[in-house]
C-alpha cells in the first residue's frame, strides 16, 4: 500500500489499540493506560508494515495479536522480577502440586529447593521485590493480614500456623485461590473482587464459600 493508504489504515485501527489497552488496564492494576496505548501504537505500525494477506489471517486479527504482544512486552519491562525467575516458580509449583496429588501431602519448600536448586533463587527474587504474588504461595515468614471484622470465615484462616494456611491455599483451584488472596490478604470486598474478575457477586460468593470449606477440611486433616 502507498503512504496515504498506510496512514489511513493505521488511523482506522487506532480505536482497536485503545480498546485492547483499556481491557488490559482493567485487569492489571499497575498498568498505565497511556503507556499501554503507546506500546500498542508501535505494535500497530509494525503490524501494518509487516502484514502479509497471503497467509490467510485478516489484517485486524494480525493487528490484535501484534498489539497485544507489544503491550504485554511493555508490562514485562516494568516487572522487577525476571521472566526466567517467574518461569522457574511456575514450573516448580506445578511439580510441587503434582507431587502433592501423588502423595496426598504437599512437599515442603525445603524439599523442593533441594530437588530444584533454581527454585530458591527464584523465590527470593520474587518475594523480596513484590508484596504478594497470586501465582505462588506466600513466603513462610509473610504475616497474613486476616480479616478481623467478626466474619466467622476467618476461623478457616486462623486454625493453623501461617505456613499450613499458605500451603492449604496453594492447593485450592486457581479461581478460589485468587478470591481468598484478594479478600484476606489484599482486603478487597467480594463485590470488588467480582468486578476485577468479571464475575457476578453471586459467583464470587459461591467461590468464597467453597474455598473456605476446602480450607477448613484441609486444615482439619493437618
Amino acid at each position: 500500500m502507498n503512504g496515504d493508504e498506510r496512514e489511513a489504515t493505521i488511523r482506522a485501527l487506532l480505536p482497536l489499540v485503545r480498546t485492547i489497552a483499556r481491557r488490559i488496564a482493567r485487569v492489571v492494576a499497575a498498568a498505565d493506560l497511556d503507556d499501554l496505548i503507546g506500546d500498542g501504537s508501535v505494535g500497530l505500525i509494525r503490524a501494518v508494515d509487516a502484514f502479509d494477506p497471503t497467509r490467510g489471517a485478516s489484517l485486524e486479527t494480525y493487528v490484535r495479536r501484534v498489539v497485544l504482544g507489544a503491550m504485554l512486552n511493555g508490562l514485562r519491562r516494568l516487572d522487577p522480577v525476571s521472566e526466567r525467575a517467574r518461569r522457574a516458580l511456575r514450573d516448580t509449583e506445578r511439580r510441587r502440586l503434582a507431587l502433592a496429588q501423588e502423595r496426598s501431602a504437599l512437599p515442603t519448600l525445603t524439599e523442593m529447593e533441594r530437588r530444584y536448586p533454581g527454585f530458591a533463587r527464584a523465590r527470593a527474587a520474587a518475594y523480596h521485590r513484590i508484596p504478594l504474588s497470586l501465582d505462588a504461595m506466600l513466603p513462610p515468614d509473610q504475616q497474613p493480614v486476616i480479616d478481623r471484622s467478626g466474619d466467622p470465615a476467618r476461623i478457616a484462616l486462623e486454625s493453623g500456623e501461617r505456613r499450613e494456611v499458605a500451603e492449604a491455599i496453594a492447593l485450592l483451584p486457581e479461581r478460589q485461590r485468587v478470591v481468598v488472596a484478594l479478600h484476606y490478604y489484599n482486603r478487597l470486598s467480594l463485590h470488588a473482587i467480582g468486578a476485577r474478575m468479571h464475575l457476578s457477586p453471586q459467583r464470587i460468593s459461591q467461590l468464597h464459600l467453597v474455598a473456605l470449606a476446602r480450607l477448613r477440611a484441609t486444615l482439619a486433616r493437618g
Side-chain angles (χ1 to χ4, degrees):
M1 66 178 70
N2 61 40
D4 291 340
E5 291 175 339
R6 174 179 179 272
E7 183 176 349
T9 300
I10 291 171
R11 288 182 179 277
L13 289 168
L14 277 174
L16 177 61
V17 173
R18 297 189 186 97
T19 297
I20 296 172
R22 284 193 292 268
R23 289 176 180 171
I24 293 178
R26 284 198 296 268
V27 175
V28 183
D32 181 86
L33 182 60
D34 290 338
D35 287 344
L36 290 172
I37 293 174
D39 289 331
S41 297
V42 173
L44 168 61
I45 295 170
R46 187 186 310 128
V48 169
D49 289 342
F51 177 65
D52 183 355
T54 64
R55 296 190 176 183
S58 68
L59 174 60
E60 182 173 333
T61 299
Y62 182 66
V63 165
R64 282 181 182 275
R65 185 164 58 246
V66 176
V67 165
L68 178 59
M71 291 181 185
L72 294 179
N73 285 337
L75 290 175
R76 290 189 186 101
R77 289 194 297 270
L78 300 176
D79 192 346
V81 182
S82 70
E83 177 59 23
R84 181 178 181 180
R86 289 200 179 280
R87 186 166 57 250
L89 281 174
R90 290 194 298 268
D91 291 345
T92 309
E93 287 296 341
R94 279 195 291 268
R95 295 186 184 108
R96 192 179 187 208
L97 293 177
L99 285 172
Q101 291 175 347
E102 292 176 7
R103 303 176 178 178
S104 298
L106 192 67
T108 65
L109 294 176
T110 301
E111 178 184 350
M112 297 306 295
E113 289 168 0
R114 186 170 59 250
R115 284 172 172 262
Y116 308 103
F119 181 47
R121 292 191 298 273
R123 287 184 70 249
Y127 295 135
H128 289 171
R129 296 181 186 179
I130 57 176
L132 174 65
S133 169
L134 296 182
D135 296 328
M137 289 176 50
L138 288 169
D141 57 350
Q142 177 94 26
Q143 173 66 46
V145 180
I146 299 174
D147 180 6
R148 302 185 182 277
S149 63
D151 181 355
R154 67 185 173 82
I155 298 172
L157 296 178
E158 294 182 319
S159 61
E161 296 296 329
R162 292 197 303 272
R163 182 163 184 160
E164 293 175 34
V165 173
E167 291 178 348
I169 291 173
L171 290 174
L172 292 173
E174 181 179 2
R175 280 188 171 181
Q176 295 174 26
R177 183 169 26 116
V178 171
V179 169
V180 169
L182 289 176
H183 187 49
Y184 291 98
Y185 294 97
N186 286 21
R187 308 190 76 173
L188 293 183
S189 68
L190 295 181
H191 182 79
I193 295 171
R196 176 174 292 196
M197 297 178 68
H198 305 292
L199 295 173
S200 68
Q202 294 80 7
R203 180 56 177 155
I204 290 296
S205 179
Q206 181 185 42
L207 289 170
H208 177 237
L209 292 174
V210 172
L212 291 177
R214 290 193 178 194
L215 285 173
R216 290 189 186 101
T218 301
L219 293 169
R221 288 197 302 268

